[in-house]
Coordinates of all heavy atoms in Angstrom, one line a residue:
K23 N 75.7 73.1 142.5 CA 76.0 74.5 142.8 C 77.1 74.7 143.9 O 77.7 75.7 144.0 CB 74.8 75.3 143.0 CG 73.8 75.3 141.8 CD 72.6 76.2 142.0 CE 71.5 75.5 142.9 NZ 70.7 74.5 142.2
Y80 N 83.9 76.3 109.3 CA 84.8 77.4 109.5 C 85.0 78.1 108.2 O 85.4 79.3 108.2 CB 86.1 76.9 110.2 CG 85.8 76.6 111.6 CD1 85.6 75.3 112.0 CD2 85.6 77.7 112.6 CE1 85.3 75.1 113.3 CE2 85.3 77.3 113.9 CZ 85.1 76.0 114.2 OH 84.8 75.8 115.5
K81 N 84.8 77.4 107.1 CA 84.9 78.1 105.7 C 83.7 79.0 105.6 O 83.8 80.1 105.1 CB 85.0 77.1 104.6 CG 85.1 77.7 103.2 CD 86.4 78.5 103.2 CE 86.6 79.0 101.7 NZ 87.8 79.9 101.5
V99 N 88.9 71.3 125.3 CA 89.9 72.3 125.1 C 90.9 72.3 126.3 O 92.2 72.4 126.1 CB 89.2 73.7 125.0 CG1 90.4 74.8 125.0 CG2 88.5 73.8 123.6
E115 N 109.2 77.6 133.0 CA 109.0 78.6 132.0 C 107.8 79.4 132.2 O 106.8 78.9 132.8 CB 108.9 78.0 130.6 CG 110.4 77.3 130.2 CD 110.4 76.9 128.8 OE1 109.2 76.6 128.2 OE2 111.5 76.6 128.3
N145 N 91.5 98.3 131.7 CA 90.2 98.7 131.8 C 89.9 100.1 131.9 O 90.2 100.8 133.0 CB 89.6 97.9 133.1 CG 88.1 98.2 133.3 OD1 87.5 98.7 132.4 ND2 87.5 97.6 134.3
I155 N 102.6 97.5 125.5 CA 104.0 97.8 126.0 C 104.4 96.7 127.0 O 105.5 96.2 126.9 CB 104.0 99.2 126.6 CG1 103.7 100.3 125.6 CG2 105.4 99.4 127.3 CD1 103.6 101.6 126.2
T216 N 82.5 91.0 114.1 CA 83.2 89.9 113.4 C 84.4 89.3 114.2 O 85.3 90.0 114.6 CB 83.7 90.3 111.9 OG1 82.6 90.7 111.3 CG2 84.3 89.2 111.2
G236 N 81.1 73.0 122.1 CA 80.4 73.1 123.5 C 79.6 74.3 123.7 O 78.4 74.3 124.0
V244 N 79.7 67.3 126.4 CA 80.3 66.5 125.5 C 81.7 66.8 125.2 O 81.9 67.9 124.5 CB 79.4 66.3 124.2 CG1 80.0 65.3 123.2 CG2 78.0 65.9 124.5
P245 N 82.7 66.2 125.6 CA 84.1 66.7 125.6 C 84.7 66.5 124.3 O 85.6 65.7 124.1 CB 84.8 66.0 126.8 CG 84.1 64.6 126.7 CD 82.7 64.9 126.5
K267 N 102.0 59.5 125.0 CA 102.0 59.6 126.5 C 100.6 59.3 127.1 O 100.5 58.8 128.2 CB 102.5 61.0 126.9 CG 103.9 61.2 126.6 CD 104.4 62.6 127.1 CE 105.8 62.8 126.8 NZ 106.3 64.2 127.3
I270 N 95.7 59.1 123.2 CA 94.6 59.8 122.6 C 94.6 59.5 121.2 O 95.4 60.0 120.4 CB 94.5 61.4 122.8 CG1 94.7 61.7 124.3 CG2 93.4 62.0 122.3 CD1 93.6 61.2 125.2
H313 N 67.1 100.6 136.8 CA 67.0 100.3 138.3 C 68.4 100.5 139.0 O 68.4 100.8 140.3 CB 66.7 98.7 138.4 CG 65.4 98.4 137.9 ND1 64.2 98.7 138.7 CD2 65.0 97.9 136.8 CE1 63.2 98.4 138.0 NE2 63.5 97.8 136.8
K316 N 73.8 103.8 138.4 CA 75.2 104.2 138.6 C 76.2 103.1 138.1 O 77.3 103.3 138.0 CB 75.4 104.3 140.2 CG 74.8 105.5 140.8 CD 75.0 105.5 142.2 CE 74.3 106.6 143.0 NZ 74.5 106.6 144.4
I330 N 79.8 92.4 135.1 CA 79.2 93.6 135.8 C 79.8 93.9 137.1 O 80.1 93.0 137.9 CB 77.7 93.3 136.0 CG1 77.0 92.8 134.7 CG2 77.0 94.7 136.4 CD1 75.6 92.5 134.9
Y366 N 83.9 92.4 140.4 CA 82.9 92.1 139.2 C 82.2 90.8 139.5 O 82.6 90.0 140.3 CB 83.8 92.0 137.9 CG 84.1 93.3 137.3 CD1 85.3 94.0 137.8 CD2 83.5 93.9 136.3 CE1 85.6 95.2 137.4 CE2 83.8 95.2 135.8 CZ 84.9 95.7 136.3 OH 85.3 97.0 135.8
I389 N 70.9 94.6 146.9 CA 71.7 95.9 147.0 C 70.9 96.9 147.8 O 71.4 97.7 148.6 CB 71.9 96.4 145.5 CG1 72.9 95.6 144.8 CG2 72.4 97.9 145.6 CD1 73.1 96.0 143.4

Side-chain angles (χ1 to χ4, degrees):
K23 295 186 282 284
Y80 290 97
K81 182 63 177 178
V99 170
E115 290 185 343
N145 182 1
I155 295 175
T216 301
V244 181
K267 295 183 180 180
I270 303 296
H313 298 280
K316 293 180 185 179
I330 311 176
Y366 285 81
I389 289 175

